[in-house]
Amino acid sequence: MKPAPLQYVRPASVAEAVDALEEHGGMARVLAGGQSLVPMLGMRLMRPSALVDINDLGAELGKIDGRGEETVIGALVRYSALETSPVIAERLPLLQEVVRHIGDRQVRNRGTIGGAVAQSDPTGEMPLVCLTLGARVVARSVRGERTIPIEEFFEGSYANALEPEELLVGLRFPLAPVHCRFFERGRKHNDFALLSIAVAGSPDADGRWSGVRIGLGGVNDTPVLAEAAAARLEGRTWDTATIAEAAELALEAADPPDDVRASAEYRNHLLPIQLRRVLTDLAGAEPWKT
Amino acid sequence: MSETLEQTRTRANGVGAAALRKEDDRLLRGDGRFTDDVDPAHALHMAIGRCPFPHARILEIDVSAAAELEGVQQILVGAEVAQRTEPISVLRPVPGAPQLPYYALAGEVCVYEGQPVVSVVATSRAVAEDAIELIDIDYDPLPHVSDVLEALADDAPVLHPLQLSSNLLATNPQGNGDPDAVMAAAHIVVSDRFRINRVTGLPMEPRAIVAHWRPGARELTAHVSTQVPHLVRMQLAESLRLDEGDVRVITSDVGGGFGLKLGVYPEDVLACLHAIDLRRPVKWTEDRLEHFRATTHAREAVHDFAIGADADGRITAMTNTYTTDLGGQNSPFGSAQLSSIVFTGPYRVDDGFVQRRVALTNKTPVGAYRGYGQPEVNFARELLMDRLARRLGIDPLELRMRNMLAQEDLPWRNPAGALYDSGDYRLALQMVADAVDYDALRAAGRERPDGRRVGIGLTSFVERTGYASAKFLANRGSRYGAHESVTLRANRSGGIDLFTGVSSMGQSSETAFAQICSQVHGIAFDAIRVHAGDTGATPLNTGAFASRTLIAAAGAVSAAATELRDKTLRIAAHRLELDDVDGLEVDGDAVVVQGDPSRRIPLAELHMAAIIGQGIPVDEHPGLEATAHFEPEHAAYAFGSAAAVVAVDPETGDFEIERFVLVHDCGTMVNPTLVDGQVRGALAQGFGAALSEELRYDADTGQLVNGSMLDYFVPTAADLPPIELHHTEVPSPFTTFGVRGVGEIGTIPPGAAIANAVCDALADFDVQISRLPVTPELVWRELQQARNRSETP
Ligand SMILES: Cc1cc2nc3c(=O)[nH]c(=O)nc-3n(C[C@H](O)[C@H](O)[C@H](O)COP(=O)(O)OP(=O)(O)OC[C@H]3O[C@@H](n4cnc5c(N)ncnc54)[C@H](O)[C@@H]3O)c2cc1C
């Protein structure tokens, strides 16, 4: 489990980093927390010509910023920083809850939000919550900066819209509803999900919900939004029948894999049941408090 | 021979005390010394090229490009290794099986994915791995077979056509009475086929070796992470065609063994060969990907079990024919052999028959793993016990009690020939029932307001610990005996150095041996220094496996400590000008005259006198050292009962283990803290195998699907249910101090208790479980099946 030969570059600025990526013509990889990349290098599943180590770029990429309605999180912000940040607690409580389900303490001390989104694991928690909260991905290359809506970002299992010479510099989150829930089932404690569900929305004084978003993990080759289910819930009060209908509609977004964690059949069986339970819980409860 | 505790006095850190572990200081400070910590100057590094197919013929190996890579020192292929070495021996061969000799590197045909095909030594591990990629091997994939039962079908590809006409390596029947006739006449028979999952032990420290050959000294020094340094020495000498005198094996701390590190593996032979050729130290540490394919797997078996009973639920006969998977070829130790001996469990069964069939499949070889066949057979029998209870309308607790051997029935020989020594089996079961408040739970019913169903699952078992005798082993072709040995040597600081071939792998033998030594000799626990695992310094022994170490070592330590103490007292009597040793004893750091504390001689003074031969009786030789060997007459049978209380969600199949209670007996506890640690550790592995662990092979390609920590679901501390432990302490009449083995017992009850609890919770649906692991998805599937069964009349 030793990496194939490669060069190692440690840029001192984002500008240097994107230069290095350009120079290697798309054959270099960014090294952030290394929690996914280093094992892949060891198994020689990845053979980049160079590693561009961004761990010195904390000043540019390591900040959490609340700016008006928007919350901006730098690519190099570690999971553990998200776990304890008061800004995140106030503005993105769902994100803070979800981070606690990722890996173990060591993984969370190293792993970064940028790395997790760039890794685009279809069962990963961070891609799911970014999708559910409608984040936008900010990417930079020598040609400049662009912003990619998260709905257009994930393109398949471990595949996304980043160009090989692009550096993910951060994520911009819109104002998030305070009513939210997260559910996850794995094969062991803090395992990757065989099924995960994130829900956010806002009820008005009459109990009518708006801005409903339902994200699903583990049931497709990317995290997906259960749009039909959300549409069924939008603008209504949630009685038992509505919830049950929405839960069944979520299956439209699912095309789950058969793998060592669970069969497709079992995931399809679980999805409506667990979504029904999550929605029932959310309908009758207080806003999220972390 | 049984010397019980009553005959000796209690001591501060003697037998029975919760002494703190001698091993912990260095381990907790990060000062343990594992094989990978051995880092000699000028060391070279080995990497292994492994077969990617389950079954393939090697057509050609081209190493030319690799040989030219800078840093590469040597490349070995199978033909050369076969010429220069002897096949690797099997420590515990399957009785009645033909030999299937194998060498460290594959010859013409590979029989499992991960089998070593080429080895490279280079200036670094990374360069060695680069070289492996440059070696061009032309394989011709052959038809393969993964499933144990399919392997025995007529059309299955035969793995070893030179020695065998099928993949059936051996059949080993054992029995007593006339079980067929009794079964035919039984009022009721329950039977089923039970499938046991293939798992592995995952020691935190993988295998490792550092080998160094000094040609002038003609000495091969091998640091090896192993449970059996003295056996590794023998096997290495044999394979490498050296004298044992030329080989020194050193084992310091071992980061877990669990049965996987029993004997010489191909990589050990290869590292030594390279070291001999290159005259430089050669190092190899297994990585986790290799570990999943190249270190022995365990447990996989299919059990056809049947129980016959009368209308009152009294068992009249038991039969069990089972097929175990050996994998592609022999492993260093050989596959599990204890399903047969304990197949009837703690129940009175006069007519019984058990038969083991060993099958070859194109998978990683199977070896020993904590439990060694006993969890497997316990699962099959105990699930059927519950089904029998349900069919007869008898409570499962009552059914077990009715059939369980009473204390006064023991010693008792079961139909497989096991001699159960002593114990109160019924008391252990009753204690379990009391601990979970069995009657109250039953009365509360199965339904919970939240829709979940509650179930209680029981299991009772006996466990063989240790070996009957060297004679028993020799009859079965084993290459080791049943004894343990120890050398005690007084030192000039007034302490004792204790030398043992038992390496330290977490079982706390250093602590336990020192407690026994202190108990018998009288010297303070802290003044005993244990030196373990160096064949150049320790007396020849057997090793740390089969829950046997203490059963044999207690006798050896006890005998050596007695000899050393007696000589020490004789010298003290001489120096105190007493006629004899009456009234003298060792008390911590001195010999004292009982009743007269002013008359004492420090041990340091006595040891010095003995060592230099000054001021000792004329008829005594100088020196203060004793070596003793001890072989128990019989194995000792540990036993216990367990209960799991689970709450099952019938909609999803999810279940929560709310309580898990184990009452068990390992005879006299030398140290209750160590006992609890051993039981909990084994339980964790038992829960893993029961709930989530399973090595899965792709049906088409025959390749291991989940050979990494990402997809092999070994539980973490956060995954374990709450565990409640209670003990009974019935001494074994067969062992020193009445000890029984304790290292493996925890692997036995989880599967059966949990599966019985889930089935009990879902009894209204008549759910039956017949395989492991018990996952939520399996529970959901069985629920569906049960519903389908009830819908189709
Ligand atoms: C034991 C263990 C358990 C884990 N459990 C979970 C879990 O439960 N759930 C889960 O979701 N994940 C889990 N992970 C994976 C973990 O979340 C990773 O940390 C995460 O996927 C990647 O983040 P990283 O910063 O470590 O990225 P790295 O490993 O450094 O990089 C990952 C990939 O992203 C690319 N990349 C990184 N940063 C950038 C950037 N700024 N711009 C462009 N490309 C970039 C890299 O080139 C690489 O291809 C686990 C990992 C381990 C080791």
Side-chain angles (χ1 to χ4, degrees):
Chain A
M1 281 188 88
K2 302 288 179 205
L6 49 76
Q7 285 179 44
Y8 176 81
V9 190
R10 195 163 175 125
S13 65
V14 168
E16 275 182 42
V18 295
D19 280 347
L21 288 170
E22 184 69 19
E23 205 177 294
H24 285 271
M27 298 303 284
R29 299 298 306 183
V30 175
L31 174 66
Q35 298 303 297
S36 294
L37 182 55
V38 171
M40 285 189 296
L41 294 175
M43 292 188 258
R44 301 194 175 205
L45 294 173
M46 254 188 192
R47 305 163 166 270
S49 63
L51 286 186
V52 178
D53 183 343
I54 59 170
N55 282 282
D56 282 346
L57 309 186
E60 287 178 86
L61 300 179
K63 284 200 261 283
I64 301 171
D65 254 341
R67 296 183 199 148
E69 292 202 336
E70 209 174 51
T71 311
V72 182
I73 304 178
L76 201 61
V77 172
R78 315 265 172 202
Y79 291 136
S80 53
L82 295 169
E83 249 180 292
T84 52
S85 158
V87 179
I88 300 297
E90 195 189 312
R91 294 170 155 254
L92 302 172
L94 180 65
L95 181 78
Q96 193 159 69
E97 164 63 15
V98 166
V99 168
R100 301 194 168 120
H101 294 259
I102 301 175
D104 49 41
R105 174 55 56 210
Q106 291 85 338
V107 169
R108 295 201 293 276
N109 280 343
R110 293 301 302 163
T112 66
I113 186 169
V117 172
Q119 177 70 12
S120 301
D121 188 317
T123 65
E125 287 84 356
M126 193 51 79
L128 172 69
V129 72
C130 290
L131 178 67
T132 308
L133 295 178
R136 288 180 304 148
V137 179
V138 186
R140 198 181 303 167
S141 71
V142 290
R143 281 167 285 282
E145 196 169 278
R146 65 175 179 133
T147 302
I148 311 159
I150 194 90
E151 293 82 354
E152 293 162 23
F153 185 78
F154 301 115
E155 296 185 334
S157 193
Y158 307 100
N160 58 48
L162 280 182
E163 297 297 333
E165 342 42 67
E166 265 180 327
L167 180 71
L168 195 164
V169 291
L171 288 125
R172 306 170 97 87
F173 289 85
L175 194 66
V178 282
H179 284 74
C180 52
R181 284 292 182 277
F182 178 67
F183 164 89
E184 179 169 56
R185 185 66 77 237
R187 288 293 301 275
K188 55 188 261 190
H189 178 73
N190 278 16
D191 182 28
F192 285 93
L194 68 89
L195 171 67
S196 52
I197 300 171
V199 182
S202 304
D204 65 14
D206 303 327
R208 271 177 231 288
W209 287 76
S210 61
V212 179
R213 284 174 77 97
I214 301 171
L216 306 175
V219 296
N220 219 316
D221 64 356
T222 66
V224 289
L225 288 174
E227 286 171 357
R232 187 77 192 76
L233 297 166
E234 186 73 25
R236 299 172 186 247
T237 57
W238 296 358
D239 56 26
T240 313
T242 311
I243 286 176
E245 282 165 35
E248 287 299 324
L249 285 171
L251 283 169
E252 287 182 9
D255 181 11
D258 262 315
D259 61 29
V260 291
R261 282 186 170 67
S263 68
E265 201 189 349
Y266 186 53
R267 286 174 156 108
N268 278 332
H269 171 74
L270 286 185
L271 172 56
I273 296 173
Q274 298 296 4
L275 181 56
R276 190 193 72 219
R277 292 180 183 180
V278 169
L279 293 172
T280 306
D281 181 36
L282 183 56
E286 298 286 296
W288 190 270
K289 293 264 190 314
T290 46
Chain B
M1 100 111 286
S2 82
E3 178 185 352
T4 56
L5 259 186
E6 282 68 36
Q7 293 166 265
T8 54
R9 288 178 314 124
T10 11
R11 299 205 187 268
N13 281 314
V15 171
L20 294 181
R21 295 204 330 150
K22 280 192 175 289
E23 298 87 343
D24 280 342
D25 213 333
R26 65 174 190 272
L27 293 175
L28 296 177
R29 287 171 200 275
D31 283 337
R33 188 173 160 89
F34 298 91
T35 299
D36 195 55
D37 295 324
V38 176
D39 223 349
H42 312 298
L44 297 167
H45 299 267
M46 181 173 81
I48 304 292
R50 301 178 182 280
C51 181
F53 301 104
H55 200 190
R57 184 174 299 282
I58 301 171
L59 299 178
E60 207 191 319
I61 303 180
D62 179 359
V63 302
S64 53
E68 278 167 31
L69 187 70
E70 195 184 328
V72 171
Q73 306 287 308
Q74 192 186 19
I75 301 173
L76 285 173
V77 296
E80 193 178 349
V81 169
Q83 233 173 39
R84 295 180 50 198
T85 63
E86 297 300 318
I88 296 174
S89 62
V90 182
L91 291 172
R92 183 118 159 79
V94 173
Q99 288 194 343
L100 300 175
Y102 72 99
Y103 293 91
L105 291 177
E108 285 165 25
V109 175
C110 298
V111 287
Y112 64 94
E113 179 199 354
Q115 186 171 0
V117 177
V118 289
S119 67
V120 174
V121 165
T123 45
S124 75
R125 175 71 176 249
V127 172
E129 290 188 16
D130 292 344
I132 293 288
E133 288 192 326
L134 293 173
I135 296 174
D136 197 5
I137 305 174
D138 195 3
Y139 290 103
D140 177 21
L142 301 171
H144 60 84
V145 62
S146 313
D147 182 85
V148 264
L149 294 183
E150 280 169 22
L152 300 183
D154 287 342
D155 58 350
V158 176
L159 270 64
H160 298 279
L162 291 181
Q163 292 91 1
L164 290 166
S165 57
S166 77
N167 293 317
L168 181 63
L169 182 66
T171 303
N172 307 131
Q174 275 164 279
N176 193 38
D178 192 355
D180 287 345
V182 176
M183 194 74 84
H187 169 77
I188 179 172
V189 174
V190 287
S191 66
D192 201 357
R193 168 167 287 181
F194 295 90
R195 288 183 183 268
I196 312 295
N197 43 339
R198 176 177 270 249
V199 300
T200 186
L202 287 178
M204 239 190 271
E205 181 207 26
R207 290 189 289 123
I209 181 168
V210 181
H212 190 187
W213 170 249
R214 287 189 301 147
R218 217 186 146 67
E219 187 185 66
L220 177 74
T221 306
H223 295 261
V224 186
S225 178
T226 180
Q227 300 171 235
V228 286
H230 282 280
L231 299 181
V232 166
R233 182 186 190 215
M234 167 186 79
Q235 286 184 296
L236 280 180
E238 286 170 352
S239 275
L240 296 164
R241 298 178 184 148
L242 296 171
D243 286 341
E244 259 199 76
D246 302 336
V247 182
R248 177 175 173 194
V249 173
I250 302 176
T251 302
S252 305
D253 286 309
V254 175
F258 310 126
L260 283 68
K261 294 175 180 170
L262 283 178
V264 157
Y265 278 85
E267 295 85 354
D268 301 321
V269 173
L270 293 168
C272 292
L273 259 191
H274 284 294
I276 289 169
D277 288 350
L278 296 165
R279 302 179 174 204
R280 279 173 69 179
V282 170
K283 183 169 184 170
W284 175 76
T285 301
E286 183 182 55
D287 66 37
R288 198 55 76 181
L289 286 182
E290 294 184 291
H291 180 80
F292 271 105
R293 290 160 183 84
T295 293
T296 52
H297 294 172
R299 303 251 196 277
E300 184 169 4
V302 179
H303 282 254
D304 290 320
F305 208 112
I307 302 178
D310 67 18
D312 294 330
R314 256 172 260 283
I315 298 168
T316 54
M318 269 191 199
T319 60
N320 179 23
T321 290
Y322 63 101
T323 310
T324 61
D325 184 3
L326 186 68
Q329 62 186 25
N330 274 308
S331 63
F333 194 77
S335 67
Q337 298 203 12
L338 292 187
S339 288
S340 294
I341 196 82
V342 295
F343 85 108
T344 53
Y347 309 113
R348 172 176 273 285
V349 180
D350 295 316
D351 295 270
F353 175 75
V354 60
Q355 164 163 278
R356 181 172 72 138
R357 306 192 303 163
V358 182
L360 290 144
T361 63
N362 292 110
K363 304 202 296 277
T364 295
V366 165
Y369 175 36
R370 210 171 192 176
Y372 199 53
Q374 305 190 82
E376 297 92 307
V377 72
N378 188 66
F379 179 74
R381 185 193 63 247
E382 291 296 306
L383 265 74
L384 282 184
M385 288 296 284
D386 266 35
R387 287 190 206 169
L388 178 63
R390 202 164 304 133
R391 290 264 302 275
L392 290 170
I394 302 174
D395 184 273
L397 173 63
E398 169 59 25
L399 183 86
R400 285 184 172 79
M401 283 293 184
R402 256 179 226 181
N403 286 289
M404 202 167 267
L405 291 157
Q407 187 163 23
E408 52 278 14
D409 294 336
L410 271 49
W412 188 78
R413 203 174 275 284
N414 83 0
L419 185 64
Y420 297 173
D421 46 348
S422 67
D424 193 341
Y425 299 170
R426 293 179 183 178
L427 174 66
L429 179 56
Q430 191 56 52
M431 283 170 67
V432 166
D434 293 346
V436 295
D437 211 348
Y438 189 82
D439 296 335
L441 266 179
R442 278 269 169 263
R446 294 194 169 91
E447 286 178 52
R448 283 260 176 90
D450 64 2
R452 292 194 298 174
R453 304 278 179 135
V454 185
I456 318 167
L458 297 173
T459 178
S460 299
F461 55 92
V462 294
E463 182 208 12
R464 190 175 95 187
T465 71
Y467 287 115
S469 65
K471 203 162 31 154
F472 160 86
L473 284 166
N475 282 342
R476 283 163 176 75
S478 293
R479 312 239 20 244
Y480 54 85
H483 78 279
E484 265 310 314
S485 61
V486 70
T487 294
L488 297 181
R489 185 186 298 154
N491 65 43
R492 284 155 286 191
S493 306
I496 290 178
D497 290 296
L498 187 161
F499 296 89
T500 168
V502 173
S503 49
S504 276
M505 53 175 189
Q507 85 280 42
S508 317
S509 48
E510 293 180 30
T511 304
F513 291 5
Q515 284 184 257
I516 293 169
C517 180
S518 172
Q519 176 75 42
V520 174
H521 182 279
I523 189 171
F525 174 77
D526 289 340
I528 301 162
R529 169 60 77 111
V530 180
H531 307 270
D534 178 351
T535 64
T538 60
L540 221 160
N541 74 327
T542 306
F545 56 96
S547 294
R548 60 166 300 283
T549 308
L550 204 62
I551 288 175
V557 175
S558 197
T562 304
E563 188 183 331
L564 208 69
R565 178 198 64 203
D566 290 351
K567 185 168 180 182
T568 306
L569 295 183
R570 289 198 301 274
I571 295 171
H574 174 76
R575 291 169 81 91
L576 289 165
E577 297 175 356
L578 299 171
D579 290 343
D580 56 40
V581 300
D582 286 351
L584 290 183
E585 64 169 351
V586 182
D587 183 19
D589 60 354
V591 169
V592 296
V593 179
Q594 282 167 11
D596 183 0
S598 67
R599 299 189 71 196
R600 64 201 311 277
I601 310 182
L603 283 178
E605 186 184 322
L606 290 167
H607 289 184
M608 179 59 108
I611 288 164
I612 62 179
Q614 288 276 359
I616 60 174
V618 281
D619 53 352
E620 294 283 356
H621 291 291
L624 195 51
E625 177 166 331
T627 296
H629 295 256
F630 181 80
E631 180 187 291
E633 298 163 57
H634 293 290
Y637 281 80
F639 59 90
S641 285
V645 180
V646 306
V648 187
D649 179 342
E651 230 181 341
T652 61
D654 282 323
F655 58 92
E656 182 187 347
I657 303 166
E658 297 184 331
R659 294 185 67 186
F660 187 89
V661 179
L662 171 62
V663 176
H664 108 289
D665 186 299
C666 59
T668 303
M669 291 193 276
V670 172
N671 181 329
T673 314
L674 303 188
V675 167
D676 276 11
Q678 285 299 302
V679 174
R680 282 173 189 276
L683 278 173
Q685 290 183 310
F687 284 118
L691 296 170
S692 54
E693 293 181 40
E694 180 171 34
L695 291 160
R696 289 180 30 183
Y697 284 80
D698 185 273
D700 295 329
T701 66
Q703 282 162 324
L704 181 61
V705 181
N706 58 339
S708 86
M709 295 301 261
L710 181 63
D711 291 329
Y712 183 79
F713 308 118
V714 62
T716 64
D719 294 300
L720 296 177
I723 295 167
E724 299 161 53
L725 295 184
H726 305 277
H727 308 281
T728 66
E729 213 172 343
V730 182
S732 169
F734 295 152
T735 64
T736 313
F737 298 119
V739 298
R740 297 189 173 89
V742 68
E744 305 177 72
I745 200 159
T747 59
I748 299 172
I754 293 163
N756 277 339
V758 169
C759 293
D760 179 54
L762 302 175
D764 291 352
F765 307 93
D766 196 23
V767 163
Q768 296 195 350
I769 290 176
S770 309
R771 66 185 312 144
L772 288 170
V774 184
T775 63
E777 177 163 354
L778 177 79
V779 173
W780 169 69
R781 284 188 185 285
E782 295 301 340
L783 252 164
Q784 278 190 314
Q785 284 221 348
R787 285 187 178 123
N788 290 344
R789 271 201 306 272
S790 70
E791 274 161 26
T792 43

